[in-house]
Amino acid sequence: MCFKNLPVEFDEEGRAYLREDIRDPYSTERSPELNGSAVRTLTRDQIEDLLARNGHIEQKNFDPITRVAGALAFHSVVDLEERKVLESRSVATLFRGYEVIMMGRDPRDAIFITSRACGVCGNTHSGTSALATEMAIGVKPPPLGIVLRNLLSVFEFLLDLPLHLFMLTGPDYSEHVIRKTNPELWEQAERTEAPHANTHGYGTIGEIMRDMNALSGSLYLEALHKTRVAKEAYVLIGGKFPHPQTMVPGGVSASISYTTMNEMYLRLQQFFDYGKKAAAIYDDIVDFFYDADPRYREVGRTPANLIDNGLWDDPEAYDATYENCNEWGERRWATPGVIVNGELVTTKLQNINLGMEEFIEHSFYEGWDGHRFETDPLGAPLSPYHPWNKETRPRPQAPNWREKYTWSTSPRWDRTPMDAEASARMWNTALSRLLPENPYIEATGHSLKMLLPQGTLPELELEWHVPEVWNAFERNRSRAYCIAYTALVGLNIWRQGMELLKQGQERTSNPFKIPQKGQQLGVGFWGAGRGYVSHHMMIENGKVTNYQIITPSTINASPRDPWGTPGMYETAVLNTPILENSDRGSFQGIDIQRAIRSFDPCMPCTTHVHTDEGVITREVNTCACGAEH
C-alpha cells in the first residue's frame, strides 16, 4: 500500500480513489502515522523554564549557517551538561517570491524567471519549468533535445557535488575546525593511516584534513577548479552559466556537432578519476570518525524517509504527458521514488505527486480557501493542500517560536517529513533495479556498482551500499559516490547523443504554441544537484494563473507541521549529541552545523517583501551563490 495517512487507495487496475468512509478526508486534526519520524520535543513553556533555572542550558543561534547564499538561520537550545539539543528551529530568512512574480505572465517567461531562484542550480529550475510547460501545452522535444537537457543537468551536478563536498561542508572536517573543536581527534588523525591511500594519495587522515582547510587546502582549491571544468562543458550547450539561454519548451535551441560533443567528453572524463578520489576520501573520513567515537553515528541522524522525482529522461520514452508519467518516469537513469523507513514504497511519479501537500501553520503566509482541483488530470484525488491548489499569500511578521517563524513552508509526502537530499536518487535506483541496461552502472537491490574507466588512476569498481543508519556522515559519503554515479550516467547519455548524430537525428527542439484559450495544467518532475525539485503550473487563456515551486531546501528546512512534527533540519539537530570538546565560553556548535550542512542547504532568492506597504517587488535577482567561488 502506497499511502498510510492520506485516505487514498488503489483499485485492481492501479487507479487511485478517495475512500468514502471518512467524513473529512483531508482534515489536519487527525494525527498521522509518523513512519519513524517522531522525535522528542519540549513545549516552549518547558524550554523557557529550563533556560531560566539552569546556567548550563543556553540558546545557540547561527545566522547565517550556510557557506553559500545565506538566508538560513538556525535557533537551538543546548544543554551543555547533558551534551544534547533541547530545541531546534530552522528559519528561512528571505521570501521566495517567484511564485508571485510568475502570476499573469506568459508561460515562456518561467524558464528565465524561475532560473534566478538559484545561482548554482539555475539550469534545474529552467529545465523543470520547461517540463511543466511542455506538459501543459502538449509539446515533446526530439530525442537529441532530451539528451542535451540531460547533459546540462549532468554538468550542473558535477559542479554542485565538488562544491558541496570540499567547499561548503568539507571545511567542517578540516584541520582548522578539528583543532579548535576536538583537538584530541586531530592528534589521533595525524597518526592514523588512511586505508585508501593508493587511490587518493594521502598517507594519513590528518593529511586529508589539512588539505580540506577552507581557501588554502588543495582539496578545496581542486574542487574550485572542478567547478570551472563543469561550467566549461555546460556552456557548450547552455550558452552561459548559471542561467542557460538555450532552454525552451520543446527542447534546447543550441546546435550540436561532433566537435562540441568531443569538447564535452574531454571535460566529462576528468570526473572519472575525481569520482574515485572523492569516494575514497569520504570513506576514510567517515570511518575515522566512527572508529574514534561511535556516537558520531548519531550526528544529524534522521529516519530513512527520502523522496526524489528521478531525472535524466529516456529520449524514446519521454512524451511530456501526465497520462504516461509513470511509464516514462521509470525509464529515467535515476528512478523516481519514495523511501519510508528504508523501504521503497513507490516508483510512480503520479503517486509522488498525489502524496505531496504544503502546510503553512508555522510559516509567514496566510492560508487559502477552496479546493479547486479535487482530482489530477487522471481522476485521482488531490488534497486541498496540494501545490495545484495552493495559493502563495505572504504575510511578513516578527518571528514567534510558538507560532510563525520562517518563510519556508512545510511540504509533506503522505503527511510525513521527507529528506529530499540528492542521495535519494541513488537509493531509489539501487532498490528498484529499473536502471537502463548499460556497461557502467548496476543496481543490485541493495547497492549501486559503478565501473569507472581508466584515466590517470586504473579502472576501478566502486560500490555504494544503502546505509544502515542515515546521518550527516552518510549523506556526505553518499554525495561523494554521487560524483561517480553522475559521471557514468553522463557517459551513457553522451554515447546516446553520439549515436543520434550518427543516425542524422540533429534536431534539438520542436515548435510549439501557447494555447490562448482554456485551462491547462502542467508539472515538472526533476531534481537539483542537492535533490528533489517540482514546478506546478496552471495556465488560463494563455497566462500563468498559478505557479508553485518546491525545492529540496524547502522540504528539508521546513518548520513544524500542523501535527507539531519537525522537518528534517530540525529533526537532525534534535537527534545530534554534542561531541565538541569545549566549554561554554568557546562552544562552536560544530556538531549542529555538521548536521545541517550535510543536507547541502541553499536558501536563495533576493526577492523581498516591502513591509512598509506590504508590496512584493517584481524585480528578479539571482542569489549570491552565482558569484565565482
Side-chain angles (χ1 to χ4, degrees), residues 85-115:
V85 180
L86 302 178
E87 182 180 61
S88 65
R89 303 281 176 156
S90 174
V91 183
T93 59
L94 289 182
F95 170 56
R96 294 186 56 84
Y98 291 95
E99 297 91 343
V100 179
I101 293 172
M102 278 302 305
M103 295 291 284
R105 292 186 179 268
D106 188 303
R108 290 169 292 189
D109 291 347
I111 286 174
F112 302 102
I113 289 176
T114 65
S115 169

PDB file of all heavy atoms in Angstrom, residues 85-115:
ATOM      1  N   VAL A  85      20.767  18.567  22.468  1.00  0.00           N
ATOM      2  CA  VAL A  85      19.978  19.689  21.958  1.00  0.00           C
ATOM      3  C   VAL A  85      18.547  19.537  22.452  1.00  0.00           C
ATOM      4  O   VAL A  85      17.949  18.463  22.327  1.00  0.00           O
ATOM      5  CB  VAL A  85      20.011  19.741  20.417  1.00  0.00           C
ATOM      6  CG1 VAL A  85      19.178  20.909  19.906  1.00  0.00           C
ATOM      7  CG2 VAL A  85      21.451  19.848  19.916  1.00  0.00           C
ATOM      8  N   LEU A  86      18.006  20.617  23.006  1.00  0.00           N
ATOM      9  CA  LEU A  86      16.654  20.579  23.556  1.00  0.00           C
ATOM     10  C   LEU A  86      15.612  21.165  22.606  1.00  0.00           C
ATOM     11  O   LEU A  86      14.450  20.782  22.651  1.00  0.00           O
ATOM     12  CB  LEU A  86      16.611  21.344  24.882  1.00  0.00           C
ATOM     13  CG  LEU A  86      17.555  20.859  25.982  1.00  0.00           C
ATOM     14  CD1 LEU A  86      17.426  21.744  27.204  1.00  0.00           C
ATOM     15  CD2 LEU A  86      17.277  19.401  26.327  1.00  0.00           C
ATOM     16  N   GLU A  87      16.022  22.117  21.783  1.00  0.00           N
ATOM     17  CA  GLU A  87      15.079  22.739  20.848  1.00  0.00           C
ATOM     18  C   GLU A  87      15.810  23.108  19.576  1.00  0.00           C
ATOM     19  O   GLU A  87      16.978  23.521  19.607  1.00  0.00           O
ATOM     20  CB  GLU A  87      14.448  23.992  21.460  1.00  0.00           C
ATOM     21  CG  GLU A  87      13.418  24.657  20.534  1.00  0.00           C
ATOM     22  CD  GLU A  87      12.784  25.890  21.133  1.00  0.00           C
ATOM     23  OE1 GLU A  87      13.519  26.853  21.428  1.00  0.00           O
ATOM     24  OE2 GLU A  87      11.554  25.895  21.305  1.00  0.00           O
ATOM     25  N   SER A  88      15.137  22.970  18.446  1.00  0.00           N
ATOM     26  CA  SER A  88      15.724  23.362  17.163  1.00  0.00           C
ATOM     27  C   SER A  88      14.657  24.010  16.299  1.00  0.00           C
ATOM     28  O   SER A  88      13.528  23.529  16.217  1.00  0.00           O
ATOM     29  CB  SER A  88      16.320  22.141  16.443  1.00  0.00           C
ATOM     30  OG  SER A  88      15.304  21.218  16.094  1.00  0.00           O
ATOM     31  N   ARG A  89      15.012  25.116  15.665  1.00  0.00           N
ATOM     32  CA  ARG A  89      14.098  25.833  14.771  1.00  0.00           C
ATOM     33  C   ARG A  89      14.883  26.305  13.541  1.00  0.00           C
ATOM     34  O   ARG A  89      15.865  27.036  13.672  1.00  0.00           O
ATOM     35  CB  ARG A  89      13.477  27.038  15.462  1.00  0.00           C
ATOM     36  CG  ARG A  89      12.715  26.697  16.745  1.00  0.00           C
ATOM     37  CD  ARG A  89      11.344  26.126  16.480  1.00  0.00           C
ATOM     38  NE  ARG A  89      10.689  25.719  17.720  1.00  0.00           N
ATOM     39  CZ  ARG A  89       9.366  25.614  17.862  1.00  0.00           C
ATOM     40  NH1 ARG A  89       8.579  25.862  16.847  1.00  0.00           N
ATOM     41  NH2 ARG A  89       8.854  25.237  19.013  1.00  0.00           N
ATOM     42  N   SER A  90      14.445  25.875  12.394  1.00  0.00           N
ATOM     43  CA  SER A  90      15.063  26.266  11.131  1.00  0.00           C
ATOM     44  C   SER A  90      14.337  27.484  10.583  1.00  0.00           C
ATOM     45  O   SER A  90      13.114  27.477  10.449  1.00  0.00           O
ATOM     46  CB  SER A  90      14.970  25.097  10.145  1.00  0.00           C
ATOM     47  OG  SER A  90      15.435  25.473   8.879  1.00  0.00           O
ATOM     48  N   VAL A  91      15.091  28.528  10.236  1.00  0.00           N
ATOM     49  CA  VAL A  91      14.482  29.796   9.838  1.00  0.00           C
ATOM     50  C   VAL A  91      14.993  30.218   8.457  1.00  0.00           C
ATOM     51  O   VAL A  91      16.171  30.578   8.306  1.00  0.00           O
ATOM     52  CB  VAL A  91      14.799  30.912  10.858  1.00  0.00           C
ATOM     53  CG1 VAL A  91      14.086  32.203  10.462  1.00  0.00           C
ATOM     54  CG2 VAL A  91      14.406  30.475  12.267  1.00  0.00           C
ATOM     55  N   ALA A  92      14.125  30.151   7.469  1.00  0.00           N
ATOM     56  CA  ALA A  92      14.419  30.729   6.154  1.00  0.00           C
ATOM     57  C   ALA A  92      14.123  32.220   6.251  1.00  0.00           C
ATOM     58  O   ALA A  92      12.992  32.622   6.522  1.00  0.00           O
ATOM     59  CB  ALA A  92      13.553  30.075   5.082  1.00  0.00           C
ATOM     60  N   THR A  93      15.135  33.044   6.038  1.00  0.00           N
ATOM     61  CA  THR A  93      15.022  34.470   6.377  1.00  0.00           C
ATOM     62  C   THR A  93      14.610  35.347   5.209  1.00  0.00           C
ATOM     63  O   THR A  93      14.415  36.548   5.393  1.00  0.00           O
ATOM     64  CB  THR A  93      16.359  34.979   6.944  1.00  0.00           C
ATOM     65  OG1 THR A  93      17.388  34.782   5.969  1.00  0.00           O
ATOM     66  CG2 THR A  93      16.712  34.241   8.219  1.00  0.00           C
ATOM     67  N   LEU A  94      14.507  34.796   4.008  1.00  0.00           N
ATOM     68  CA  LEU A  94      14.072  35.581   2.854  1.00  0.00           C
ATOM     69  C   LEU A  94      12.827  34.970   2.231  1.00  0.00           C
ATOM     70  O   LEU A  94      12.649  33.759   2.244  1.00  0.00           O
ATOM     71  CB  LEU A  94      15.175  35.644   1.787  1.00  0.00           C
ATOM     72  CG  LEU A  94      16.401  36.498   2.103  1.00  0.00           C
ATOM     73  CD1 LEU A  94      17.351  36.477   0.916  1.00  0.00           C
ATOM     74  CD2 LEU A  94      16.010  37.922   2.430  1.00  0.00           C
ATOM     75  N   PHE A  95      12.004  35.821   1.661  1.00  0.00           N
ATOM     76  CA  PHE A  95      10.797  35.375   0.974  1.00  0.00           C
ATOM     77  C   PHE A  95      11.134  34.882  -0.423  1.00  0.00           C
ATOM     78  O   PHE A  95      11.775  35.590  -1.206  1.00  0.00           O
ATOM     79  CB  PHE A  95       9.804  36.540   0.903  1.00  0.00           C
ATOM     80  CG  PHE A  95       8.613  36.274   0.014  1.00  0.00           C
ATOM     81  CD1 PHE A  95       7.811  35.173   0.226  1.00  0.00           C
ATOM     82  CD2 PHE A  95       8.298  37.142  -1.014  1.00  0.00           C
ATOM     83  CE1 PHE A  95       6.715  34.929  -0.580  1.00  0.00           C
ATOM     84  CE2 PHE A  95       7.193  36.913  -1.827  1.00  0.00           C
ATOM     85  CZ  PHE A  95       6.400  35.810  -1.603  1.00  0.00           C
ATOM     86  N   ARG A  96      10.689  33.655  -0.766  1.00  0.00           N
ATOM     87  CA  ARG A  96      10.850  33.140  -2.123  1.00  0.00           C
ATOM     88  C   ARG A  96       9.635  33.596  -2.924  1.00  0.00           C
ATOM     89  O   ARG A  96       8.574  33.009  -2.846  1.00  0.00           O
ATOM     90  CB  ARG A  96      10.933  31.622  -2.103  1.00  0.00           C
ATOM     91  CG  ARG A  96      12.187  31.101  -1.389  1.00  0.00           C
ATOM     92  CD  ARG A  96      12.298  29.595  -1.515  1.00  0.00           C
ATOM     93  NE  ARG A  96      12.279  29.168  -2.888  1.00  0.00           N
ATOM     94  CZ  ARG A  96      13.356  29.134  -3.692  1.00  0.00           C
ATOM     95  NH1 ARG A  96      14.512  29.524  -3.231  1.00  0.00           N
ATOM     96  NH2 ARG A  96      13.266  28.718  -4.940  1.00  0.00           N
ATOM     97  N   GLY A  97       9.805  34.634  -3.721  1.00  0.00           N
ATOM     98  CA  GLY A  97       8.665  35.280  -4.350  1.00  0.00           C
ATOM     99  C   GLY A  97       8.413  34.933  -5.798  1.00  0.00           C
ATOM    100  O   GLY A  97       7.610  35.588  -6.458  1.00  0.00           O
ATOM    101  N   TYR A  98       9.082  33.926  -6.315  1.00  0.00           N
ATOM    102  CA  TYR A  98       8.946  33.657  -7.747  1.00  0.00           C
ATOM    103  C   TYR A  98       7.552  33.176  -8.127  1.00  0.00           C
ATOM    104  O   TYR A  98       7.087  33.391  -9.243  1.00  0.00           O
ATOM    105  CB  TYR A  98      10.029  32.663  -8.193  1.00  0.00           C
ATOM    106  CG  TYR A  98      11.387  33.309  -8.125  1.00  0.00           C
ATOM    107  CD1 TYR A  98      12.187  33.161  -7.000  1.00  0.00           C
ATOM    108  CD2 TYR A  98      11.832  34.135  -9.134  1.00  0.00           C
ATOM    109  CE1 TYR A  98      13.408  33.804  -6.905  1.00  0.00           C
ATOM    110  CE2 TYR A  98      13.053  34.782  -9.055  1.00  0.00           C
ATOM    111  CZ  TYR A  98      13.840  34.610  -7.943  1.00  0.00           C
ATOM    112  OH  TYR A  98      15.042  35.266  -7.847  1.00  0.00           O
ATOM    113  N   GLU A  99       6.872  32.536  -7.199  1.00  0.00           N
ATOM    114  CA  GLU A  99       5.503  32.109  -7.474  1.00  0.00           C
ATOM    115  C   GLU A  99       4.601  33.320  -7.731  1.00  0.00           C
ATOM    116  O   GLU A  99       3.716  33.283  -8.586  1.00  0.00           O
ATOM    117  CB  GLU A  99       4.943  31.295  -6.302  1.00  0.00           C
ATOM    118  CG  GLU A  99       5.683  29.988  -6.037  1.00  0.00           C
ATOM    119  CD  GLU A  99       6.820  30.134  -5.049  1.00  0.00           C
ATOM    120  OE1 GLU A  99       7.250  31.279  -4.808  1.00  0.00           O
ATOM    121  OE2 GLU A  99       7.280  29.106  -4.522  1.00  0.00           O
ATOM    122  N   VAL A 100       4.839  34.400  -6.997  1.00  0.00           N
ATOM    123  CA  VAL A 100       4.045  35.617  -7.172  1.00  0.00           C
ATOM    124  C   VAL A 100       4.472  36.361  -8.425  1.00  0.00           C
ATOM    125  O   VAL A 100       3.642  36.883  -9.179  1.00  0.00           O
ATOM    126  CB  VAL A 100       4.176  36.516  -5.922  1.00  0.00           C
ATOM    127  CG1 VAL A 100       3.389  37.802  -6.094  1.00  0.00           C
ATOM    128  CG2 VAL A 100       3.707  35.767  -4.680  1.00  0.00           C
ATOM    129  N   ILE A 101       5.761  36.416  -8.674  1.00  0.00           N
ATOM    130  CA  ILE A 101       6.280  37.103  -9.857  1.00  0.00           C
ATOM    131  C   ILE A 101       5.728  36.478 -11.139  1.00  0.00           C
ATOM    132  O   ILE A 101       5.489  37.165 -12.131  1.00  0.00           O
ATOM    133  CB  ILE A 101       7.822  37.068  -9.856  1.00  0.00           C
ATOM    134  CG1 ILE A 101       8.359  37.918  -8.710  1.00  0.00           C
ATOM    135  CG2 ILE A 101       8.388  37.571 -11.176  1.00  0.00           C
ATOM    136  CD1 ILE A 101       9.845  37.804  -8.494  1.00  0.00           C
ATOM    137  N   MET A 102       5.492  35.180 -11.131  1.00  0.00           N
ATOM    138  CA  MET A 102       5.017  34.489 -12.334  1.00  0.00           C
ATOM    139  C   MET A 102       3.542  34.747 -12.639  1.00  0.00           C
ATOM    140  O   MET A 102       3.093  34.499 -13.757  1.00  0.00           O
ATOM    141  CB  MET A 102       5.233  32.975 -12.193  1.00  0.00           C
ATOM    142  CG  MET A 102       6.628  32.500 -12.514  1.00  0.00           C
ATOM    143  SD  MET A 102       7.138  32.949 -14.189  1.00  0.00           S
ATOM    144  CE  MET A 102       5.820  32.237 -15.175  1.00  0.00           C
ATOM    145  N   MET A 103       2.791  35.245 -11.702  1.00  0.00           N
ATOM    146  CA  MET A 103       1.364  35.422 -11.905  1.00  0.00           C
ATOM    147  C   MET A 103       1.088  36.389 -13.057  1.00  0.00           C
ATOM    148  O   MET A 103       1.625  37.497 -13.120  1.00  0.00           O
ATOM    149  CB  MET A 103       0.707  35.942 -10.626  1.00  0.00           C
ATOM    150  CG  MET A 103       0.773  34.953  -9.464  1.00  0.00           C
ATOM    151  SD  MET A 103      -0.253  33.500  -9.725  1.00  0.00           S
ATOM    152  CE  MET A 103      -1.870  34.197  -9.400  1.00  0.00           C
ATOM    153  N   GLY A 104       0.217  35.972 -13.989  1.00  0.00           N
ATOM    154  CA  GLY A 104      -0.202  36.811 -15.098  1.00  0.00           C
ATOM    155  C   GLY A 104       0.778  36.879 -16.246  1.00  0.00           C
ATOM    156  O   GLY A 104       0.548  37.613 -17.216  1.00  0.00           O
ATOM    157  N   ARG A 105       1.856  36.137 -16.194  1.00  0.00           N
ATOM    158  CA  ARG A 105       2.881  36.199 -17.234  1.00  0.00           C
ATOM    159  C   ARG A 105       2.673  35.141 -18.321  1.00  0.00           C
ATOM    160  O   ARG A 105       1.956  34.164 -18.144  1.00  0.00           O
ATOM    161  CB  ARG A 105       4.277  36.037 -16.627  1.00  0.00           C
ATOM    162  CG  ARG A 105       4.717  37.207 -15.755  1.00  0.00           C
ATOM    163  CD  ARG A 105       6.156  37.024 -15.325  1.00  0.00           C
ATOM    164  NE  ARG A 105       6.649  38.118 -14.507  1.00  0.00           N
ATOM    165  CZ  ARG A 105       7.273  39.200 -14.978  1.00  0.00           C
ATOM    166  NH1 ARG A 105       7.469  39.328 -16.277  1.00  0.00           N
ATOM    167  NH2 ARG A 105       7.701  40.138 -14.156  1.00  0.00           N
ATOM    168  N   ASP A 106       3.356  35.351 -19.423  1.00  0.00           N
ATOM    169  CA  ASP A 106       3.431  34.355 -20.479  1.00  0.00           C
ATOM    170  C   ASP A 106       4.167  33.133 -19.925  1.00  0.00           C
ATOM    171  O   ASP A 106       5.213  33.279 -19.281  1.00  0.00           O
ATOM    172  CB  ASP A 106       4.189  34.929 -21.678  1.00  0.00           C
ATOM    173  CG  ASP A 106       4.141  34.022 -22.909  1.00  0.00           C
ATOM    174  OD1 ASP A 106       4.563  32.851 -22.798  1.00  0.00           O
ATOM    175  OD2 ASP A 106       3.697  34.492 -23.965  1.00  0.00           O
ATOM    176  N   PRO A 107       3.656  31.923 -20.154  1.00  0.00           N
ATOM    177  CA  PRO A 107       4.326  30.730 -19.612  1.00  0.00           C
ATOM    178  C   PRO A 107       5.779  30.606 -20.031  1.00  0.00           C
ATOM    179  O   PRO A 107       6.588  30.024 -19.301  1.00  0.00           O
ATOM    180  CB  PRO A 107       3.487  29.571 -20.163  1.00  0.00           C
ATOM    181  CG  PRO A 107       2.147  30.165 -20.431  1.00  0.00           C
ATOM    182  CD  PRO A 107       2.401  31.588 -20.843  1.00  0.00           C
ATOM    183  N   ARG A 108       6.146  31.154 -21.181  1.00  0.00           N
ATOM    184  CA  ARG A 108       7.531  31.054 -21.646  1.00  0.00           C
ATOM    185  C   ARG A 108       8.492  31.828 -20.750  1.00  0.00           C
ATOM    186  O   ARG A 108       9.702  31.551 -20.748  1.00  0.00           O
ATOM    187  CB  ARG A 108       7.624  31.560 -23.092  1.00  0.00           C
ATOM    188  CG  ARG A 108       6.953  30.622 -24.097  1.00  0.00           C
ATOM    189  CD  ARG A 108       6.818  31.248 -25.460  1.00  0.00           C
ATOM    190  NE  ARG A 108       5.854  32.352 -25.455  1.00  0.00           N
ATOM    191  CZ  ARG A 108       5.418  32.969 -26.553  1.00  0.00           C
ATOM    192  NH1 ARG A 108       5.860  32.580 -27.736  1.00  0.00           N
ATOM    193  NH2 ARG A 108       4.542  33.947 -26.461  1.00  0.00           N
ATOM    194  N   ASP A 109       7.966  32.790 -19.996  1.00  0.00           N
ATOM    195  CA  ASP A 109       8.828  33.550 -19.091  1.00  0.00           C
ATOM    196  C   ASP A 109       9.358  32.694 -17.945  1.00  0.00           C
ATOM    197  O   ASP A 109      10.372  33.038 -17.330  1.00  0.00           O
ATOM    198  CB  ASP A 109       8.056  34.732 -18.502  1.00  0.00           C
ATOM    199  CG  ASP A 109       7.738  35.810 -19.533  1.00  0.00           C
ATOM    200  OD1 ASP A 109       8.321  35.763 -20.635  1.00  0.00           O
ATOM    201  OD2 ASP A 109       6.908  36.685 -19.232  1.00  0.00           O
ATOM    202  N   ALA A 110       8.656  31.606 -17.634  1.00  0.00           N
ATOM    203  CA  ALA A 110       9.020  30.798 -16.464  1.00  0.00           C
ATOM    204  C   ALA A 110      10.447  30.280 -16.558  1.00  0.00           C
ATOM    205  O   ALA A 110      11.163  30.214 -15.550  1.00  0.00           O
ATOM    206  CB  ALA A 110       8.044  29.633 -16.308  1.00  0.00           C
ATOM    207  N   ILE A 111      10.877  29.914 -17.745  1.00  0.00           N
ATOM    208  CA  ILE A 111      12.217  29.364 -17.918  1.00  0.00           C
ATOM    209  C   ILE A 111      13.273  30.353 -17.442  1.00  0.00           C
ATOM    210  O   ILE A 111      14.258  29.974 -16.791  1.00  0.00           O
ATOM    211  CB  ILE A 111      12.445  28.967 -19.391  1.00  0.00           C
ATOM    212  CG1 ILE A 111      11.667  27.684 -19.706  1.00  0.00           C
ATOM    213  CG2 ILE A 111      13.926  28.804 -19.708  1.00  0.00           C
ATOM    214  CD1 ILE A 111      11.705  27.280 -21.148  1.00  0.00           C
ATOM    215  N   PHE A 112      13.086  31.619 -17.752  1.00  0.00           N
ATOM    216  CA  PHE A 112      14.107  32.613 -17.444  1.00  0.00           C
ATOM    217  C   PHE A 112      13.914  33.234 -16.069  1.00  0.00           C
ATOM    218  O   PHE A 112      14.887  33.621 -15.420  1.00  0.00           O
ATOM    219  CB  PHE A 112      14.103  33.689 -18.542  1.00  0.00           C
ATOM    220  CG  PHE A 112      14.338  33.112 -19.907  1.00  0.00           C
ATOM    221  CD1 PHE A 112      13.287  32.926 -20.791  1.00  0.00           C
ATOM    222  CD2 PHE A 112      15.598  32.708 -20.296  1.00  0.00           C
ATOM    223  CE1 PHE A 112      13.500  32.365 -22.039  1.00  0.00           C
ATOM    224  CE2 PHE A 112      15.825  32.134 -21.531  1.00  0.00           C
ATOM    225  CZ  PHE A 112      14.766  31.958 -22.415  1.00  0.00           C
ATOM    226  N   ILE A 113      12.678  33.341 -15.606  1.00  0.00           N
ATOM    227  CA  ILE A 113      12.443  33.925 -14.287  1.00  0.00           C
ATOM    228  C   ILE A 113      12.783  32.946 -13.178  1.00  0.00           C
ATOM    229  O   ILE A 113      13.528  33.270 -12.252  1.00  0.00           O
ATOM    230  CB  ILE A 113      10.977  34.404 -14.171  1.00  0.00           C
ATOM    231  CG1 ILE A 113      10.770  35.636 -15.059  1.00  0.00           C
ATOM    232  CG2 ILE A 113      10.620  34.725 -12.719  1.00  0.00           C
ATOM    233  CD1 ILE A 113       9.345  36.136 -15.095  1.00  0.00           C
ATOM    234  N   THR A 114      12.256  31.729 -13.249  1.00  0.00           N
ATOM    235  CA  THR A 114      12.492  30.782 -12.159  1.00  0.00           C
ATOM    236  C   THR A 114      13.943  30.337 -12.098  1.00  0.00           C
ATOM    237  O   THR A 114      14.417  29.920 -11.047  1.00  0.00           O
ATOM    238  CB  THR A 114      11.582  29.548 -12.280  1.00  0.00           C
ATOM    239  OG1 THR A 114      11.906  28.806 -13.466  1.00  0.00           O
ATOM    240  CG2 THR A 114      10.123  29.953 -12.323  1.00  0.00           C
ATOM    241  N   SER A 115      14.662  30.436 -13.198  1.00  0.00           N
ATOM    242  CA  SER A 115      16.094  30.130 -13.177  1.00  0.00           C
ATOM    243  C   SER A 115      16.814  30.952 -12.128  1.00  0.00           C
ATOM    244  O   SER A 115      17.758  30.476 -11.474  1.00  0.00           O
ATOM    245  CB  SER A 115      16.703  30.404 -14.554  1.00  0.00           C
ATOM    246  OG  SER A 115      18.112  30.357 -14.516  1.00  0.00           O
TER     247      SER A 115
END
